[in-house]
Amino acid sequence: MANLDVPKKQQILEAAQAAILAKGFSATSIDELIAEVGISKSGFFYHFRDKTILARALLERYIEQDDVVFDRAFDEADALSEDPLHSFLIALKLLAKVFDDMPNGHPGCMVACICYHEQLFDQEVRNINAKAVLSWRTRFRKRIERIAERYEPRINIDLDDLADMFSVVGDGGIILSRVVGDKSLLPRQLLLYRDFVRLIFEPVQVSDKP
Amino acid sequence: MANLDVPKKQQILEAAQAAILAKGFSATSIDELIAEVGISKSGFFYHFRDKTILARALLERYIEQDDVVFDRAFDEADALSEDPLHSFLIALKLLAKVFDDMPNGHPGCMVACICYHEQLFDQEVRNINAKAVLSWRTRFRKRIERIAERYEPRINIDLDDLADMFSVVGDGGIILSRVVGDKSLLPRQLLLYRDFVRLIFEPVQVSDKP
DNA sequence: AGCAAACTGGACCGCAGGTACAGTACCTGT
DNA sequence: ACAGGTACTGTACCTGCGGTCCAGTTTGCT
């Protein structure tokens, strides 16, 4: 049934990511994962010393995949405009579209998921989590800095805060999307963040009105 | 040791809320709760048929407490200004201050916490969760509608989305605050949301610059 | 042939969530 | 005074899950 060429360890990670984001870490049992990928319990513990090691691997994997999505959107945007503000606005639109195109909505953020299970994990996992958020901050801050060099912001703003706000709106948007069962809520919120950036930096008076 | 006048049921809810927001639902054991409040296991199950009933009670309690905080901030703001925009901006500043004054930062949002443990609970709990988010939407939308009646928004904006954005920034801000270990992150994000509202509706050109 | 990586199988442990049920202390209305 | 409800205690027991231990097997590389 499962792909025979994919190593079992990858299959476990795959199955675990889906299950954990959908049901939560504790609600996902090892028994259920090994049944799904067709491996023995001993086989599972051969790859992962315990469940927290699985969580760590999952988190690292998630962050890598996330970075790929960001890189793609920013690269594509850069190809379409050399202006830092326009490129950033395009990237935000692309990112919103990526999430909008997901058939069942965003599967959930592993960082947020682990945040609400925190004490189950060791300091190492929490450090990875913090590092991921700070890397997002750096990524967005760089972009926003380049915008601020060219465009005078309309209000006084802390660039780190504005950079963090992307992650804040992302994680908060994922939660509200799920809770109210409206998958378009997350992309709409990201576009709202985009409007905010536009209002801060875009020099001419904006009017979308008819 | 514990307050003798407070009924045990209340004491359990108190202890459970703190533990669950700090460590997560599954990481909080019934044994640990009954040890803390000094009740027997049978006593616990007398009050709560099972752990999910405890979660339901906790969620309902949390939403009530949250509403009180909102009511207080909005009432106080209304007393300070009759203008819907100014009152709203004051309320947001007050709310940011409430969270900033919490010695250990915001303890975590029960709605978000339960969202990431979803499949552990029944439809009823998820309905309560959705109802809470929608009640926040309604609360903020009413305020924003009154603002939009008086002030022409600078950009085309969906009022429900802008109302939801408060909850989005709140829940996202709580997560990032915890992950990076910076308790001031949440209030700063709320003030950023406030800046957004101001940029949309405030008619005169704003300048905080020296 | 020999070795390592990737497993299988089975026995076993402790903890957490829960069930079942009998008993008790205290308060309240008739 | 006693009947009945509320708020518990104590004990025994069951299940599922995470986890350990360990001996043995298959597969592929050199």
Side-chain angles (χ1 to χ4, degrees):
Chain A
M1 194 162 289
N3 194 329
L4 293 171
D5 290 353
V6 177
K8 292 289 182 193
K9 189 171 180 180
Q10 289 306 311
Q11 288 186 41
I12 294 171
L13 286 169
E14 216 77 55
Q17 171 157 330
I20 286 175
L21 288 178
K23 310 192 301 181
F25 184 74
S26 330
T28 302
S29 71
I30 293 172
D31 282 351
E32 136 194 9
L33 294 177
I34 66 180
E36 196 177 328
V37 309
I39 197 178
S40 67
K41 208 171 176 182
S42 317
F44 176 91
F45 283 106
Y46 172 75
H47 290 299
F48 307 101
R49 201 171 66 248
D50 59 38
K51 223 182 159 191
T52 72
I53 299 293
L54 171 67
R56 190 184 302 190
L58 234 36
L59 183 58
E60 277 161 348
R61 208 178 90 109
Y62 178 86
I63 292 164
E64 274 169 35
Q65 292 173 350
D66 223 76
D67 279 341
V68 170
V69 172
F70 284 149
D71 284 339
R72 253 209 294 265
F74 280 123
D75 287 349
E76 202 174 325
D78 282 343
L80 291 168
S81 173
E82 277 157 25
D83 180 89
L85 176 57
H86 292 157
S87 168
F88 190 64
L89 294 177
I90 291 168
L92 288 176
K93 215 164 209 170
L94 289 172
L95 285 170
K97 193 176 173 335
V98 167
F99 299 135
D100 207 23
D101 288 345
M102 290 176 172
N104 302 312
H106 194 289
C109 176
M110 192 60 76
V111 167
C113 180
I114 285 187
C115 166
Y116 271 107
H117 289 84
E118 237 176 11
Q119 300 320 105
L120 284 176
F121 306 110
D122 51 24
Q123 194 57 48
E124 174 68 14
V125 171
R126 276 172 268 171
N127 288 343
I128 297 171
N129 231 6
K131 229 183 76 190
V133 169
L134 294 177
S135 85
W136 296 338
R137 173 186 290 175
T138 307
R139 177 194 282 275
F140 279 83
R141 167 153 191 145
K142 273 185 199 153
R143 297 267 161 179
I144 293 169
E145 260 171 10
R146 280 204 275 140
I147 297 171
E149 277 166 23
R150 189 166 310 183
Y151 299 94
E152 179 72 6
R154 200 164 297 176
I155 55 169
N156 235 348
I157 215 117
D158 182 286
L159 299 190
D160 272 343
D161 284 347
L162 187 57
D164 279 346
M165 200 187 199
F166 177 85
S167 312
V168 163
V169 170
D171 273 332
I174 290 169
I175 291 171
L176 259 77
S177 258
R178 281 171 67 136
V179 169
V180 306
D182 173 4
K183 80 178 195 81
S184 76
L185 196 150
L186 167 64
R188 289 207 314 273
Q189 287 294 322
L190 289 178
L191 292 177
L192 222 48
Y193 172 73
R194 182 178 175 274
D195 283 337
F196 186 30
V197 173
R198 230 167 108 221
L199 270 183
I200 294 171
F201 292 108
E202 205 162 64
V204 293
Q205 208 59 324
V206 182
S207 179
D208 287 3
K209 302 237 146 189
Chain B
M1 195 166 289
N3 193 329
L4 292 170
D5 290 353
V6 177
K8 292 286 181 194
K9 189 173 180 179
Q10 288 306 312
Q11 288 187 42
I12 293 171
L13 287 169
E14 217 77 54
Q17 172 157 326
I20 286 175
L21 288 177
K23 310 193 299 179
F25 184 74
S26 330
T28 302
S29 71
I30 293 171
D31 282 352
E32 136 195 7
L33 294 177
I34 65 180
E36 195 177 330
V37 309
I39 197 177
S40 67
K41 208 170 176 182
S42 318
F44 175 90
F45 285 105
Y46 171 76
H47 290 299
F48 307 100
R49 201 172 66 249
D50 58 39
K51 224 182 158 189
T52 71
I53 299 293
L54 170 68
R56 190 184 302 190
L58 234 36
L59 183 59
E60 277 161 348
R61 208 178 90 110
Y62 178 86
I63 293 164
E64 274 169 34
Q65 291 174 349
D66 222 76
D67 278 341
V68 170
V69 172
F70 284 148
D71 284 339
R72 251 207 296 263
F74 280 123
D75 287 351
E76 200 174 325
D78 282 342
L80 291 169
S81 172
E82 277 158 26
D83 180 89
L85 177 59
H86 293 157
S87 167
F88 190 63
L89 295 177
I90 291 168
L92 289 177
K93 214 163 211 171
L94 289 172
L95 285 170
K97 193 177 174 334
V98 167
F99 299 135
D100 208 22
D101 287 345
M102 290 177 173
N104 301 312
H106 193 290
C109 175
M110 193 58 79
V111 167
C113 179
I114 285 188
C115 167
Y116 271 106
H117 289 83
E118 237 177 9
Q119 300 319 106
L120 285 176
F121 307 110
D122 53 23
Q123 194 57 48
E124 174 68 14
V125 171
R126 276 172 268 172
N127 287 343
I128 297 170
N129 231 6
K131 229 183 75 191
V133 169
L134 294 177
S135 86
W136 296 339
R137 174 187 290 176
T138 307
R139 176 193 283 273
F140 280 82
R141 167 155 189 142
K142 273 186 198 150
R143 296 268 161 179
I144 293 170
E145 262 171 8
R146 281 203 274 139
I147 297 171
E149 277 167 22
R150 189 169 308 184
Y151 298 95
E152 179 73 4
R154 200 164 297 175
I155 56 168
N156 234 350
I157 216 119
D158 182 287
L159 299 190
D160 272 342
D161 285 345
L162 187 58
D164 279 345
M165 201 186 198
F166 177 85
S167 314
V168 164
V169 170
D171 273 330
I174 289 169
I175 290 171
L176 259 76
S177 260
R178 282 171 67 137
V179 170
V180 305
D182 172 5
K183 80 178 195 78
S184 76
L185 196 151
L186 168 63
R188 288 208 315 272
Q189 288 293 322
L190 289 177
L191 292 178
L192 221 48
Y193 172 73
R194 181 178 176 274
D195 284 337
F196 186 30
V197 174
R198 229 168 109 221
L199 270 184
I200 294 171
F201 292 108
E202 205 162 65
V204 291
Q205 208 61 324
V206 181
S207 179
D208 287 2
K209 301 238 150 189

